[in-house]
């Protein structure tokens, strides 16, 4: 009855540096072939950069690990070429329920407003995601992955970073213009360089059990406070693919991790929860401790940190892998412009600023969740239980229940890359916002707006009938593609087709007009990572060029 997933073994290939007795040099080296390192490597390689990805293992992660993938991450994975597989294999869900002892006291529904391509959240074991990403990476000729290659030394310099790498055939040396560190929460490279990571380790432990069973539980997130089968503690249940259920048991700080992960201690906990009659098998067991920490800066000259290597949060809220994938999305377009000579290196400072802000936001939410789930004093626990007791019947108390605020993308409204509004707009699509999706009709056949957008700067210009565009506006839009940083013009219209040379998308259900508060002439400048950079009520090419310069630190 165990999961149908077969762990792959990736081939180790003798590096040419050893075979030929020479040092190697690569424009970008990425260390760590987890979800974040793979996402970074794929994104750079598919946009034309030569990338070397190193990992000290030769398979995907063991156990479910990251489980919940949010809508924004799925939209990024769509651009990388893995979104369809994720959603097809994963378990989509929208409803979460919270119980206090035997009673349901709170529930929520993530179901987004209508006409979005991706669901609010899916559950899928991390090993599936990594397997899909490796297969995608292997399709890219300018991306080389070396398994069983362990980085044992890093020497950063002003113009490059030097690495020493250990393999089954011995050690070799290489250098890189840019080193991206995605080697996880314990980050050996961060330790080698003596770099800080500061924050809080919470004095509690949780047991993770992946349980394979046939169960008729609804596809929902269930969270219990003080359930009768695990008194005075909390429990979380998620359904995953292949009849695998993820169960998290709070243990307390005094628990012995080695003893708690033994099957003879795990199985009685699960039987108490499920009842003695239900058959199940253990697939994977682990014990973890809550941590909310981050580096002071994610960039150190030629060395750039992403994902858990840069910041860590507790798992409740699904803010780990989702945040790391968004790190990659933010970093890649900036690094590419710098490598192409189209932006100064200071643009990479804005990666640290924007994703540092996102990390602080995640840590704040994760800390609040952790404090509610694991109160550290009798007074805090009394307050928490009083809130839970009132929540079943009183709406004001439901707002205080916190079993993990779920991952949402950050609104980068204070970013120095934004151009401030000079007109009044309604809605949420402010400068710095992650863009909302909407159904479209396009000549390329893409049925969704976010499938049309991404990887480059683009301007969306709205008209009711695309055929009515006058010659002057057509010329102005076309000229935007000729700037130092090219901008692709896209005409958004209710009907019609723009003149040849201009891409047109039809606002099939009026959702773009609704969500972006479009009026005839409204123009949006959007970044390669699908965040709004600027917006105006009329097209002015000079303003667009100035906003692009600001968004690339060329102003």
């Amino acid at each position: 009855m165990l999961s149908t997933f077969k762990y792959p073994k990736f081939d180790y290939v003798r590096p040419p540096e050893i075979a030929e007795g020479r040092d190697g040099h690569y424009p970008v080296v990425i260390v760590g072939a987890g979800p974040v390192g793979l996402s970074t490597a794929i994104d750079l390689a598919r946009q034309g950069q030569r990338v070397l990805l190193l990992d000290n293992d030769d398979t995907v992660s063991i156990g479910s690990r990251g489980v919940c993938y949010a809508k924004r991450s799925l939209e990024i994975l769509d651009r990388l070429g893995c979104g369809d597989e994720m959603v097809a294999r994963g378990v989509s869900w929208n409803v979460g329920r919270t119980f206090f002892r035997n009673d349901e006291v709170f529930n929520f529904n993530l179901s987004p407003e209508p006409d979005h391509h991706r669901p609010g959240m899916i559950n899928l074991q991390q090993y599936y995601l990594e397997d899909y990403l490796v297969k995608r990476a292997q399709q890219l000729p300018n991306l080389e992955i070396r398994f069983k290659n362990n980085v044992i030394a890093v020497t950063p310099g002003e113009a490059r970073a030097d690495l020493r790498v250990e393999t089954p055939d011995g050690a070799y040396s290489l250098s890189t213009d840019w080193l991206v560190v995605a080697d996880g929460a314990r980050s050996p490279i961060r330790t080698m360089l003596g770099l800080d990571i500061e924050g809080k380790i919470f004095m509690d432990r949780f047991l993770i059990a992946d349980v394979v069973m046939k169960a008729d539980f609804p596809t929902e997130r269930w969270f219990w406070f003080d359930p009768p089968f695990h008194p005075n503690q909390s429990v979380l249940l998620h359904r995953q693919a292949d009849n695998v259920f993820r169960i998290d048991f709070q243990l307390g700080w005094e628990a012995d991790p080695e003893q708690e992960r033994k099957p003879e201690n795990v199985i009685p906990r699960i039987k108490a929860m499920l009842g003695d009659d239900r058959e199940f098998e253990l697939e994977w067991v682990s014990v973890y401790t809550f941590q909310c920490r981050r580096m002071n800066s994610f960039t150190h000259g030629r060395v750039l940190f992403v994902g858990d290597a840069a910041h860590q949060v507790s798992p409740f809220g699904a803010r780990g892998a989702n945040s790391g994938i968004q790190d990659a999305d933010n970093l890649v377009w900036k690094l590419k412009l710098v490598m192409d000579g189209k932006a100064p290196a200071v643009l990479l400072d804005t990666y640290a600023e924007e994703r540092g802000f996102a990390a602080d936001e995640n840590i704040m939410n994760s800390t609040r969740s952790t404090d509610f789930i694991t109160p550290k004093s009798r007074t805090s626990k009394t307050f928490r239980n009083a809130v839970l007791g009132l929540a079943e019947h009183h709406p004001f108390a439901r707002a205080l229940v916190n079993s993990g605020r779920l991952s949402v993308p950050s609104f980068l409204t204070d970013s120095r890359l934004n151009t401030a509004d000079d007109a009044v707009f309604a809605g949420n699509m402010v400068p710095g916002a992650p863009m909302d999706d909407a159904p479209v009709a396009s000549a390329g056949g893409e049925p969704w707006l976010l499938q049309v957008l991404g990887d480059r700067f683009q301007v969306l210009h709205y008209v009711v009938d695309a055929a009515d565009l006058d010659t002057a506006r057509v010329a102005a839009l076309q000229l935007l593609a000729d700037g130092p940083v090219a901008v692709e013009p896209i005409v958004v219209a209710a009907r019609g087709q723009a003149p040849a040379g201009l891409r047109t998308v039809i606002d099939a259900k009026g959702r773009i007009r609704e969500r972006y508060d479009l009026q005839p002439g409204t123009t949006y400048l959007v970044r390669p990572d699908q965040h709004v950079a600027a917006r105006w009520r009329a097209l002015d090419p000079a303003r667009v060029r100035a906003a692009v310069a600001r968004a690339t630190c060329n102003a």
Side-chain angles (χ1 to χ4, degrees), residues 341-380:
K342 295 182 178 180
V346 71
L347 180 60
L348 295 173
D349 292 343
T350 71
Y351 159 70
E353 293 163 5
E354 292 183 346
R355 295 310 300 164
F357 166 79
D360 289 340
E361 194 172 61
N362 284 327
I363 287 171
M364 176 190 70
N365 281 292
S366 187
T367 299
R368 288 174 178 174
S369 298
T370 303
D371 287 339
F372 193 85
I373 293 167
T374 62
K376 298 303 181 292
S377 70
R378 182 176 296 177
T379 300
S380 297

Side-chain angles (χ1 to χ4, degrees), residues 256-328:
D256 182 336
E258 294 303 319
Q259 290 297 317
E260 292 293 346
R261 63 168 57 100
K262 291 180 178 179
E264 60 265 31
N265 293 321
V266 176
I267 289 172
R269 295 189 187 280
I270 298 171
K271 283 187 174 181
M273 177 181 181
L274 302 176
D276 288 335
D277 296 333
R278 186 180 297 277
E279 293 184 2
F280 65 86
E281 296 180 30
L282 287 179
E283 183 178 76
W284 176 68
V285 175
S286 185
V287 174
Y288 64 85
T289 300
F290 280 171
Q291 299 186 48
C292 289
R293 306 191 297 165
R294 60 159 288 191
M295 299 178 69
N296 285 330
S297 176
F298 302 164
T299 59
H300 292 266
R302 296 279 170 161
V303 184
L304 314 169
F305 289 81
V306 291
D308 285 351
H311 48 77
Q312 300 149 30
V313 293
S314 64
F316 292 125
R319 295 175 177 273
N322 287 295
S323 180
I325 290 169
Q326 291 169 56
D327 286 351

Side-chain angles (χ1 to χ4, degrees), residues 286-508:
S286 185
V287 174
Y288 64 85
T289 300
F290 280 171
Q291 299 186 48
C292 289
R293 306 191 297 165
R294 60 159 288 191
M295 299 178 69
N296 285 330
S297 176
F298 302 164
T299 59
H300 292 266
R302 296 279 170 161
V303 184
L304 314 169
F305 289 81
V306 291
D308 285 351
H311 48 77
Q312 300 149 30
V313 293
S314 64
F316 292 125
R319 295 175 177 273
N322 287 295
S323 180
I325 290 169
Q326 291 169 56
D327 286 351
D329 194 42
N330 187 290
L331 173 63
V332 164
W333 71 269
K334 296 172 180 177
L335 182 56
K336 183 177 186 299
L337 283 175
V338 172
M339 294 179 71
D340 289 346
K342 295 182 178 180
V346 71
L347 180 60
L348 295 173
D349 292 343
T350 71
Y351 159 70
E353 293 163 5
E354 292 183 346
R355 295 310 300 164
F357 166 79
D360 289 340
E361 194 172 61
N362 284 327
I363 287 171
M364 176 190 70
N365 281 292
S366 187
T367 299
R368 288 174 178 174
S369 298
T370 303
D371 287 339
F372 193 85
I373 293 167
T374 62
K376 298 303 181 292
S377 70
R378 182 176 296 177
T379 300
S380 297
K381 189 170 185 177
T382 300
F383 172 78
R384 194 274 309 272
N385 288 350
V387 167
L388 292 169
L390 291 167
E392 183 177 4
H393 303 290
H394 299 283
F396 82 90
R398 291 170 202 155
L400 301 175
V401 175
N402 192 340
S403 61
R405 303 293 189 216
L406 291 169
S407 174
V408 293
S410 292
F411 279 63
L412 306 173
T413 51
D414 292 332
S415 172
R416 58 170 151 152
L417 303 186
N418 299 337
T419 295
D421 286 339
D422 61 1
V424 176
F425 286 82
N428 296 325
M429 293 296 96
V430 298
M435 299 184 69
D436 275 348
D437 208 357
V440 300
S442 67
E446 300 92 347
W448 296 98
L449 177 63
L450 294 187
Q451 292 177 339
V452 175
L453 302 178
D455 301 339
R456 56 208 177 279
F457 280 93
Q458 294 162 305
V459 152
L460 304 180
H461 181 67
Y462 180 68
V463 294
V464 175
D465 190 333
D468 291 341
L469 274 173
D470 58 72
T471 303
R473 269 195 292 177
V474 169
L477 287 166
Q478 290 175 332
L479 280 174
L480 292 174
D482 296 330
V485 176
V487 179
E488 179 190 12
I490 298 174
V491 176
V492 178
R495 58 183 178 271
Q497 179 63 45
L502 285 180
R503 190 173 189 179
T504 305
V505 297
I506 302 302
D507 188 11

Side-chain angles (χ1 to χ4, degrees), residues 538-553:
L539 173 64
D540 183 335
R543 286 188 172 186
V544 174
R545 285 191 287 269
V548 172
R550 183 180 183 87
T552 56
C553 292

Side-chain angles (χ1 to χ4, degrees), residues 197-215:
I197 184 160
E198 299 175 354
K200 185 176 181 180
I201 298 176
F202 291 86
M203 306 293 280
D204 213 326
R205 291 191 172 98
F206 278 76
L207 171 76
I208 302 173
D210 279 358
V211 178
V212 186
M213 62 182 174
K214 293 182 178 179

